[in-house]
Amino acid sequence: MYGKGRELEIGNATSAILISLLRSLIDKDLLTNGDVRVLLTKAASDLGPHDYTAPVKGAIGIILDDILPQFPDGGD
């Protein structure tokens, strides 16, 4: 099964690093929440819509459903 063990740990670590980096860039006024939302939406769009396997569809969901809401629209 995909996403077990080490792969899952790497994915979790990567997500945490990404969120921390984006928040740091916002705190330093290098990006706004709006900039981050555009970046995350583009990343999800770049993954789809294609006929990908379930793990890629899951990745799109994680970007849009889990990470994107951490950078609220209008929170600039």
Side-chain angles (χ1 to χ4, degrees):
M1 177 186 275
Y2 188 86
K4 286 185 126 184
R6 189 77 175 145
E7 293 169 342
L8 185 58
E9 292 169 358
I10 291 169
N12 287 338
T14 302
S15 294
I17 292 165
L18 168 71
I19 292 166
S20 180
L21 174 63
L22 293 173
R23 286 187 177 146
S24 293
L25 293 172
I26 289 169
D27 290 345
K28 292 177 186 250
D29 293 324
L30 297 172
L31 292 176
T32 65
N33 275 353
D35 294 331
V36 171
R37 293 181 64 78
V38 168
L39 181 138
L40 293 172
T41 302
K42 172 128 177 50
S45 176
D46 288 348
L47 288 175
H50 303 286
D51 192 23
Y52 285 126
T53 61
V56 174
K57 289 180 182 177
I60 293 168
I62 288 169
I63 293 169
L64 296 178
D65 299 336
D66 299 330
I67 299 174
L68 187 66
Q70 295 187 43
F71 302 93
D73 192 25
D76 298 332

